[in-house]
């Protein structure tokens, strides 16, 4: 099955084409890295998949449902870690998960979810304002995993993390992949996605300029570890 499919997906804001005729397929169970520099159109694409933005042209399906016409069927099965999410500083980690479960009408055990994202029980009781950036991102991922979604969409989850936080985020993505969750992971840094993604798509000024495995992509651009900044 196909988890995400876009056909000619386009978003224009006045004269600016933020996403330009995007044809993209993400397979079920795949970890897909969505790469591109700031302003490439990654968040706009994600917003259209989630029916937060209306395409100017084209269409998308998510988990087999039309992203616009059948958004209500999609939302319970998709977990989202939005770009720039921050915690409620005074609420404990556990309360964040409980809050997310209540909002989604799910009855997950908060302890299971906290463990799933690598937060230990002592941390779960502390105010999330005391957490490191990496812990905050893992907590946000735990909130996104409420209801055990089939698809996890993470918009720049590794931005601003230190190397330890990045490794923990990558481990978390790997564990989710092992459970069979499809993961759509956006980033502007290849090194953050390459350790975990089956394939990557590279977006530049709204256009999809490459879709390949990491090895294939490195070959296409002439190898080397310098790709981060050729984006
Ligand atoms: P970033 O990592 O900086 O968020 P991105 O790849 O997610 O980058 P988008 O946020 O999708 O990029 O933005 C793509 C382009 O669309 C940018 O030029 C941005 O300024 C523009 N844009 C996004 N949302 C709007 C909006 N609501 N109105 C006008 N222009 C917008």
């Amino acid at each position: 099955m196909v988890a995400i499919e876009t056909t000619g997906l386009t978003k224009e804001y006045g004269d600016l084409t933020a996403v330009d005729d995007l044809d993209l397929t993400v397979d079920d169970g795949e970890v897909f890295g969505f790469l591109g520099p700031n302003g490439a159109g990654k968040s706009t694409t994600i917003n259209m998949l989630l029916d937060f933005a209306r395409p100017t042209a084209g269409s998308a399906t998510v988990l087999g449902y039309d992203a616009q016409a059948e958004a209500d069927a999609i939302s319970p099965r998709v977990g989202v870690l939005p770009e720039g999410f921050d915690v409620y500083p005074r609420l404990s980690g556990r309360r964040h998960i409980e809050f997310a479960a209540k909002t989604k009408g799910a009855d997950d055990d908060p302890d299971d979810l906290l463990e799933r994202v690598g937060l230990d029980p002592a941390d779960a009781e502390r105010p999330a304002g005391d957490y490191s950036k990496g812990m905050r991102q893992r907590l946000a991922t735990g909130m996104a995993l409420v209801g055990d979604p089939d698809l996890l969409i993470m918009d720049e989850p590794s931005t601003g993390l230190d190397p330890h936080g990045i490794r923990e985020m990558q481990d978390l993505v790997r564990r989710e992949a092992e459970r069979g969750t499809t993961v759509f992971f956006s980033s502007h840094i290849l090194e953050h996605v390459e350790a975990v993604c089956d394939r990557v798509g590279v977006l530049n000024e709204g256009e999809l300029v490459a879709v390949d495995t990491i090895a294939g992509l490195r070959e296409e651009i002439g190898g080397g570890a310098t790709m981060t900044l050729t984006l």
Side-chain angles (χ1 to χ4, degrees):
M1 201 182 97
V2 168
I4 297 173
E5 183 159 37
T6 73
T7 310
L9 193 68
T10 300
K11 181 69 183 179
E12 290 166 2
Y13 291 111
D15 290 341
L16 174 82
T17 304
V19 177
D20 192 1
D21 200 19
L22 182 71
D23 293 327
L24 183 71
T25 302
V26 176
D27 293 324
D28 204 20
E30 185 173 31
V31 179
F32 190 89
F34 197 42
L35 275 174
N38 290 336
K42 304 181 299 296
S43 300
T44 304
T45 302
I46 289 171
N47 287 342
M48 289 191 281
L49 297 177
L50 299 171
D51 196 31
F52 297 155
R54 188 153 289 273
T56 311
S59 61
T61 64
V62 177
L63 302 172
Y65 296 100
D66 184 278
Q68 265 67 49
E70 299 174 298
D72 289 351
I74 295 169
S75 56
R77 300 179 54 199
V78 179
V80 184
L81 194 164
E83 184 178 16
F85 168 86
D86 206 355
V87 296
Y88 300 96
R90 293 187 184 183
L91 281 191
S92 69
R94 174 188 299 280
R95 292 288 293 148
H96 279 78
I97 300 285
E98 288 170 353
F99 177 68
K102 196 165 181 185
T103 310
K104 236 181 170 174
D107 61 356
D108 302 68
D109 180 342
D111 291 318
D112 289 347
L113 274 173
L114 289 159
E115 192 189 335
R116 185 163 163 184
V117 297
L119 288 170
D120 68 43
D123 287 327
E125 306 311 326
R126 289 166 52 205
D130 293 349
Y131 287 10
S132 67
K133 171 97 176 141
M135 290 166 75
R136 291 174 190 219
Q137 286 298 71
R138 282 184 284 130
L139 177 60
T141 309
M143 294 170 75
L145 290 174
V146 157
D148 201 18
D150 300 311
L151 169 65
L152 177 62
I153 295 182
M154 310 173 89
D155 195 357
E156 305 237 9
S158 55
T159 301
L161 297 186
D162 61 19
H164 178 69
I166 290 165
R167 273 195 304 280
E168 285 184 329
M169 183 54 72
Q170 291 168 335
D171 288 344
L172 199 166
V173 169
R174 261 189 224 104
R175 289 199 300 274
E176 287 309 311
E178 277 163 18
R179 295 173 71 110
T181 313
T182 306
V183 182
F184 187 81
F185 181 135
S186 91
S187 178
H188 57 272
I189 302 177
L190 171 66
E191 279 69 18
H192 290 189
V193 304
E194 68 175 340
V196 291
C197 290
D198 300 307
R199 289 189 307 146
V200 293
V202 181
L203 199 64
N204 192 38
E205 295 183 356
E207 283 187 46
L208 192 64
V209 293
V211 182
D212 211 333
T213 59
I214 296 285
L217 193 64
R218 285 215 180 271
E219 206 159 289
E220 256 175 70
I221 58 156
T226 50
M227 172 155 172
T228 312
L229 297 165
T230 59
L231 285 175

PDB file of all heavy atoms in Angstrom, residues 16 19 30 44 59 95 146-147 184 194:
ATOM      1  N   LEU A  16       4.238  33.756  -5.569  1.00  0.00           N
ATOM      2  CA  LEU A  16       5.208  32.745  -5.116  1.00  0.00           C
ATOM      3  C   LEU A  16       4.623  31.334  -5.248  1.00  0.00           C
ATOM      4  O   LEU A  16       3.533  31.072  -4.742  1.00  0.00           O
ATOM      5  CB  LEU A  16       5.558  32.999  -3.642  1.00  0.00           C
ATOM      6  CG  LEU A  16       6.445  31.938  -3.014  1.00  0.00           C
ATOM      7  CD1 LEU A  16       7.895  32.179  -3.352  1.00  0.00           C
ATOM      8  CD2 LEU A  16       6.256  31.911  -1.509  1.00  0.00           C
ATOM      9  N   VAL A  19       4.985  25.318  -3.524  1.00  0.00           N
ATOM     10  CA  VAL A  19       5.111  23.900  -3.887  1.00  0.00           C
ATOM     11  C   VAL A  19       4.660  23.797  -5.337  1.00  0.00           C
ATOM     12  O   VAL A  19       3.578  24.271  -5.693  1.00  0.00           O
ATOM     13  CB  VAL A  19       4.241  22.996  -2.971  1.00  0.00           C
ATOM     14  CG1 VAL A  19       4.317  21.538  -3.414  1.00  0.00           C
ATOM     15  CG2 VAL A  19       4.674  23.139  -1.514  1.00  0.00           C
ATOM     16  N   GLU A  30       7.616   2.726   5.109  1.00  0.00           N
ATOM     17  CA  GLU A  30       8.886   3.354   4.732  1.00  0.00           C
ATOM     18  C   GLU A  30       9.229   4.500   5.698  1.00  0.00           C
ATOM     19  O   GLU A  30       8.334   5.146   6.252  1.00  0.00           O
ATOM     20  CB  GLU A  30       8.718   3.911   3.319  1.00  0.00           C
ATOM     21  CG  GLU A  30       9.971   4.498   2.717  1.00  0.00           C
ATOM     22  CD  GLU A  30       9.785   4.879   1.234  1.00  0.00           C
ATOM     23  OE1 GLU A  30       8.664   5.242   0.818  1.00  0.00           O
ATOM     24  OE2 GLU A  30      10.777   4.841   0.517  1.00  0.00           O
ATOM     25  N   THR A  44       4.769  23.565   3.816  1.00  0.00           N
ATOM     26  CA  THR A  44       3.565  23.797   3.001  1.00  0.00           C
ATOM     27  C   THR A  44       3.042  22.471   2.459  1.00  0.00           C
ATOM     28  O   THR A  44       1.832  22.221   2.450  1.00  0.00           O
ATOM     29  CB  THR A  44       3.894  24.778   1.853  1.00  0.00           C
ATOM     30  OG1 THR A  44       4.422  25.983   2.423  1.00  0.00           O
ATOM     31  CG2 THR A  44       2.664  25.094   1.033  1.00  0.00           C
ATOM     32  N   SER A  59      -3.523  17.063  -6.218  1.00  0.00           N
ATOM     33  CA  SER A  59      -4.212  16.359  -5.139  1.00  0.00           C
ATOM     34  C   SER A  59      -3.226  15.492  -4.371  1.00  0.00           C
ATOM     35  O   SER A  59      -2.087  15.290  -4.794  1.00  0.00           O
ATOM     36  CB  SER A  59      -5.325  15.486  -5.734  1.00  0.00           C
ATOM     37  OG  SER A  59      -4.748  14.545  -6.608  1.00  0.00           O
ATOM     38  N   ARG A  95       1.499  14.804  31.996  1.00  0.00           N
ATOM     39  CA  ARG A  95       0.281  15.588  31.728  1.00  0.00           C
ATOM     40  C   ARG A  95       0.167  15.944  30.236  1.00  0.00           C
ATOM     41  O   ARG A  95      -0.925  16.025  29.697  1.00  0.00           O
ATOM     42  CB  ARG A  95       0.251  16.870  32.576  1.00  0.00           C
ATOM     43  CG  ARG A  95       0.094  16.620  34.049  1.00  0.00           C
ATOM     44  CD  ARG A  95      -1.306  16.147  34.439  1.00  0.00           C
ATOM     45  NE  ARG A  95      -2.309  17.173  34.228  1.00  0.00           N
ATOM     46  CZ  ARG A  95      -3.580  16.942  33.883  1.00  0.00           C
ATOM     47  NH1 ARG A  95      -3.999  15.715  33.694  1.00  0.00           N
ATOM     48  NH2 ARG A  95      -4.419  17.957  33.719  1.00  0.00           N
ATOM     49  N   VAL A 146       0.160   9.211  20.308  1.00  0.00           N
ATOM     50  CA  VAL A 146      -1.096   8.859  20.969  1.00  0.00           C
ATOM     51  C   VAL A 146      -2.050   8.264  19.923  1.00  0.00           C
ATOM     52  O   VAL A 146      -2.152   8.779  18.807  1.00  0.00           O
ATOM     53  CB  VAL A 146      -1.711  10.128  21.617  1.00  0.00           C
ATOM     54  CG1 VAL A 146      -3.195   9.978  21.807  1.00  0.00           C
ATOM     55  CG2 VAL A 146      -1.017  10.430  22.930  1.00  0.00           C
ATOM     56  N   GLY A 147      -2.687   7.171  20.281  1.00  0.00           N
ATOM     57  CA  GLY A 147      -3.616   6.529  19.337  1.00  0.00           C
ATOM     58  C   GLY A 147      -2.921   5.586  18.366  1.00  0.00           C
ATOM     59  O   GLY A 147      -3.556   5.030  17.490  1.00  0.00           O
ATOM     60  N   PHE A 184       7.489  10.058   7.967  1.00  0.00           N
ATOM     61  CA  PHE A 184       7.797  11.111   6.987  1.00  0.00           C
ATOM     62  C   PHE A 184       8.515  12.206   7.772  1.00  0.00           C
ATOM     63  O   PHE A 184       7.919  12.841   8.652  1.00  0.00           O
ATOM     64  CB  PHE A 184       6.485  11.623   6.382  1.00  0.00           C
ATOM     65  CG  PHE A 184       6.650  12.579   5.238  1.00  0.00           C
ATOM     66  CD1 PHE A 184       6.902  12.116   3.952  1.00  0.00           C
ATOM     67  CD2 PHE A 184       6.514  13.945   5.426  1.00  0.00           C
ATOM     68  CE1 PHE A 184       7.021  12.998   2.878  1.00  0.00           C
ATOM     69  CE2 PHE A 184       6.642  14.835   4.363  1.00  0.00           C
ATOM     70  CZ  PHE A 184       6.892  14.352   3.090  1.00  0.00           C
ATOM     71  N   GLU A 194      19.906  10.699   6.973  1.00  0.00           N
ATOM     72  CA  GLU A 194      20.479   9.585   6.211  1.00  0.00           C
ATOM     73  C   GLU A 194      20.642   8.313   7.036  1.00  0.00           C
ATOM     74  O   GLU A 194      20.581   7.223   6.492  1.00  0.00           O
ATOM     75  CB  GLU A 194      21.802   9.964   5.554  1.00  0.00           C
ATOM     76  CG  GLU A 194      22.923  10.209   6.509  1.00  0.00           C
ATOM     77  CD  GLU A 194      24.223  10.463   5.762  1.00  0.00           C
ATOM     78  OE1 GLU A 194      24.330  10.091   4.587  1.00  0.00           O
ATOM     79  OE2 GLU A 194      25.125  11.042   6.366  1.00  0.00           O
TER      80      GLU A 194
END
